[in-house]
Amino acid sequence: MALEKQNITVNLGLGLNTKVDPKLMRDGLLELENGVFTSVGQVQKRYGLTALGNLTTTGTAITDTRAIATFQDELDLLSSNNLYSYVSSSNNWLDKGNFAGVAVRGVGILRNANTQSSPDIGYLSGITVYAYQDSGGGIRATVVDETSGNQIQSNYQLSTTGVHPRCAITTNSILVYYVETNTLKVNVLSVGNPTSFSAAASVTANIHATAIYDIAPAGNNNVIAYRKSSGSVIVTGYLKANGLLASATDGYPSPVEFAKDPDGSIAILAYYRGDVTNDGLYVFFHNSTDGTRCIIYDIGLANTPISRIIDASTTLSRNITAINLTSSSVQVWYEVTSAQTYYRYIKSNTISRTGTVGTAQVWARSVGLISKAFTGYDSNVYLIVGHESVLQSTHFTAKNISTSSYFIANRISYQNAGGLTANVSGLCNVYSISTYEWLAPMIVKTSLNSQNNNVFSTNGLQKIVFNFDTTALFDTAQLGNNLHIAAGMLFDYDGTNLVEHGYNLYPENIVAANSTAGAGMTDGTRQYAIAYEWTDIQGQIHRSSPSIPTSSVTAGGTNVVTLTIPTLRLTERKAAKGDISVVVYRTTNNGTVFYRASSITSPLLNVTSQDTVAYVDNLTDTVIVGNELLYTTGGVLENIAPPSCTKIYVYNNRLIIAGLEDDNAIWYSRQFSQNESVNFSDLIVARIDQGKRGITGLVQLDEKLIFFKSNSIYYQLASGPTDTGFNNDIGTPQAIATDVGCVSSKSIVITPVGAMFKSAKGYYLLDRSLQVEYIGAQVEAFNGLTPSGAVLCDSVNQIRFTHTDGSCLVYDYYLKQWSTFTNMNCIASRRWNSNFVLARSSGVVDYENSATYLDNSSNIMMKVTTNWIQTGGIQSFQRIYQAAIIGQFRSNHILRVRVGYNFEESWRDDFNINSVTALGNSTYGDDALYGNAAYYGGSNDYIWQFKINNSIQKCQSIRYEITTVNPDGIEGASFNLTALSLEVGIKKGLFKIPKIKNM
Amino acid sequence: MGIFGDIGRTIFGGEGQMGLLGTGQAPAATLYQPEIGAYIDPNDATMRAQLAQGLARSQSGDSALGGGDPFRAAQINQMGALQEQAAGTGPSVVQDQLTQATNQNIAQQQGMMASQHGINAGLAARLGAQNTASIGQQAANQSAQLKAQEQMAGQSGLAGALASGRTGDVNAAGAINQNQQFYINAQAQQDEANRQALMARQAAIAGQQSQMNQTNTGAFQAAAGNRMGLISGLGSALMPGAGKK
């Protein structure tokens, strides 16, 4: 009996659904690529992409894009090292300045009643040994499993009398060296058995008691240089795998001596690559007679070394470090001492393998060396440097630019760092522990103590993890007339200048000297407060925290006060960007209100190449009382530059930052005021300590601020305090009941229905009633992709989630349907002047162009794959006589239809039809006006309807793939798809399964 | 012995004596002196000396509050202290208390900063330094105000002391004036008594003189007669013929 035929219709205007088992799925498409829903029930091809030029105004190609941002109407592109602004008229990019992107995270290692100092680390195979001196006496070590954070050994005492620990690694072990009087000792930790150290062994018994020595890797070995206890010589030699000094009997070159006393400091660097010409050992040291000197040995320590003076200055170079810039060139940095720690500075020079010395230059002022130089992920050379003062001991990550310049990449433990190295030659190692992460130890202040009228802090140990993954950085937000960039260091861009946000240090250690020479003030007690100020090109004033007031008591008649004010040497606000003004505020006699004393029209300018500037004050009280008041008058909180951050958001006219060094902390700026910069205070801070560590994203949902962690969500409703800190309603954010968090801030987007974000389980919606809904079930198959952007395209009711490694997921929030766009892998995406733009890692920036259906001349293939059509239920037996598709002609194209059967992965039928052949070669709209032609569409047939004769009629399931396969360069929207109709007959029983599969 | 010797004293009078010409003090009755509530004898030498001294003092404006007086010296010292206080150069109890309180405040706020929870060591140190500076300048301000108050108090005290001193001096001067008046009155009384005594004496003397004159006149006449007789007898003697006719 013939089957009863019936027609069924498959609506092609459906969305993608990858959640349901394809064998069961009924209400969705298996694939929907490059199609958008312009009207209900219809799918059409998306618009094409057009690339912006990728040359700079000087003709250099941009090949390294990490993010894009918008500032006012500008489109900005951020590479690893520069910010470029797009110039529409010339279709190229203007370089707006250099910067760096390094995130930093701090994790405590040891904080107890003792104080730790002189830390160093050795890292090997996931195990880190933190070695340090302890105020309780001797050397101690903590062994940490870096993956879990588990402390395998905690504060284990290696020596009761040792000083100056240094770490090194061999193939299987981490070595801890230290000095006991004249004996250099070593304890070995096998990473295969990290629960115990070996017993201490003597490396040499003739090291000088000053413990001046250094160890560096040389191939698979280590080399050492040390000050000998007698004879005023340097000993250089190799160390064996067990950490002991090697000799010829061990198959190594025997240690050699050089007749110079490294009485200041020492550093050793090896270049050991099997390069006969360039391999060598560089030993740098400071000698009180010669200054800073370098001796270069051949790798076998066989020949007379090259000896050169790097810097003849005999001022002590207390720390030295060097790195190979090239195979034959070394750059060296050395910390020059000063009576005041905050006036120490770093000089740099170069020396070639053949002994050619460059010119010694000041590299950075007001800081000393903390770490050895290291090469980051971006191949730039970095150093951790430190500023030490009573109130602002801080570490910085400095990117090397040249022997006379650097760039501050971020600020570490502002005002809480442990100061400069306790020992000479006390620089710590920095290790790469993953693709993007580098690890260093750091001494930090743990608490402020007051006892017997002495105020002091105890120091502890923490680890600092640098993250060079700039794809996770460069979150941006505009508030006021600045674009704020979270690049580790928070940067401000005013349309012309790119500078650090706030001030790395505020004025400290101002000295006031009184004299009675000349007319001036009456006798009395006055205070001075100094602030750094800088005005951006938008007219916004950026002010530092004022200095702690310095009192001046004048007596003896007419008085003049001369202030010696430390400059801000660590800043990008200089030269063409405009120098910082050093602004002096003063009270009247016995007054408590600070009035501006220094000139507005002829300001005292900051000079980064000097340690101080002088200001002479002879103004009478009556002269200044009409002047501007210090901005903190009335209790306004002082401006403190925020810590390193990776997340940034604007809420209630405040800038909110997260992803800080303390990754559970959140900083809030003061409310933005016109003509002022955005200003932070370290007194407006909140924390979310519950849940996993780290804030992964922020978004404002109605009046609430939402905080995401990787596994939890919190909200806060706060206006924040006044400028004086009163009425602070910023409390601890409240948790939302959910089992998801957000894995990437780049996936967060605010929509008319709530905030969408990507969790570890896919895309979710946090609606406006704070209910969490799994909205991304239909695209669950794409959960493995890495988000690079989330953009609301309101004109088409779409939210586009781009990824670095796969398709763009498109959610139509009107139809609640998903589709995908191919060819949109990108490093970043966003809206710019109503355009959807995306940036490729290659440096190309594309924008969606409604005037084309080509992606930069490449055809866009719209693809629709139906579900497995099973008219009688799953595994039922059916007969598909034929099918027909209907849609709308848009432009000439080649239609391709493939047919698959019975849940097979492969396609059995593959049909192509050229619209020119089938419908005529005119493009849509080229015909005569409606009514003028013989029939609608003119002489051509524009009824886009095709019959599909499938080769297999009897099957249990059938599916269709409908695509456009236009050759590249053929412009046009091709067609819109509406529906697929099938003529079917349902047979009785189940689909016949081959006997071999019968059981 | 003067040219007149006892003869002169006898003639002009002297201490305790009227003298023949009545210029000396005549013995008189005792006078009531209200300052001491007693009668004094104006002719008492001691009393006279005291009166003279008192009069001299009252006339010179000096009083019992003079520099040589211990009370006066103490008062001057106190005035000096008040002057220093008024000038702001003297010791200041309030200043010392303020300094002590300030130091205590600074120490306490250091302790408070060290006790703060939820802020890091660096922030605590900065806030502590700010507070210390603020406390210092506020202390300077308070010190200046207190100093000004102290100066004002010193000036007020000095003014009061000066005023009361002046009042005392004025009162003393009034007493002196009274003394002086007393002395003057006493003197006048003495003088009047002396004058009356002198007049009485003169009257007596005049009576005596009159009597003497009468006596003398008779005597003179007698003597003149005698003298004339003598002269006449002498001339007659010298000119025996002039006497003889």
Side-chain angles (χ1 to χ4, degrees), chain B:
Chain B
M1 181 63 67
I3 188 171
F4 298 107
D6 289 339
I7 296 173
R9 188 182 305 117
T10 302
I11 295 174
F12 299 105
E15 190 174 329
Q17 293 180 351
M18 288 290 286
L20 291 177
L21 296 178
T23 56
Q25 279 187 319
T30 55
L31 297 171
Y32 182 75
Q33 205 229 359
E35 295 297 323
I36 57 175
Y39 288 89
I40 59 171
D41 182 358
N43 292 321
D44 186 313
T46 303
M47 183 62 71
R48 286 178 59 83
Q50 287 177 347
L51 282 173
Q53 284 179 359
L55 185 60
R57 282 180 183 173
S58 63
Q59 286 175 338
S60 69
D62 199 356
S63 72
L65 299 176
D69 190 300
F71 178 76
R72 181 68 164 180
Q75 191 180 33
I76 289 171
N77 286 340
Q78 179 63 28
M79 299 280 271
L82 286 170
Q83 280 177 336
E84 288 180 349
Q85 192 176 356
T89 55
S92 170
V93 175
V94 176
Q95 178 65 52
D96 291 344
Q97 288 175 339
L98 181 64
T99 302
Q100 193 175 0
T102 301
N103 291 338
Q104 196 168 2
N105 280 348
I106 290 171
Q108 283 177 346
Q109 69 80 27
Q110 287 172 345
M112 285 172 61
M113 286 302 110
S115 306
Q116 285 286 335
H117 297 288
I119 61 174
N120 59 55
L123 172 57
R126 193 182 82 236
L127 293 177
Q130 284 174 339
N131 290 346
T132 299
S134 177
I135 288 170
Q137 189 66 2
Q138 284 174 0
N141 180 274
Q142 289 173 352
S143 171
Q145 290 180 358
L146 291 171
K147 201 169 183 178
Q149 288 173 358
E150 277 191 336
Q151 280 183 267
M152 289 179 66
Q155 287 169 351
S156 176
L158 182 61
L162 287 172
S164 61
R166 177 65 179 163
T167 302
D169 283 355
V170 167
N171 291 339
I176 290 166
N177 284 339
Q178 287 179 348
N179 287 342
Q180 193 172 357
Q181 194 60 44
F182 162 75
Y183 292 127
I184 291 170
N185 290 341
Q187 189 86 48
Q189 288 174 353
Q190 273 193 329
D191 290 347
E192 180 62 21
N194 286 340
R195 189 182 64 80
Q196 290 177 1
L198 180 60
M199 287 178 65
R201 183 69 56 87
Q202 284 176 338
I205 291 171
Q208 289 176 346
Q209 190 70 43
S210 177
Q211 291 173 351
M212 285 176 65
N213 286 342
Q214 290 175 353
T215 303
N216 287 343
T217 302
F220 177 73
Q221 289 172 346
N226 291 335
R227 194 165 46 238
M228 289 301 292
L230 288 173
I231 293 170
S232 175
L234 183 57
S236 299
L238 289 174
M239 291 174 3
K244 291 175 171 178
K245 290 177 170 190

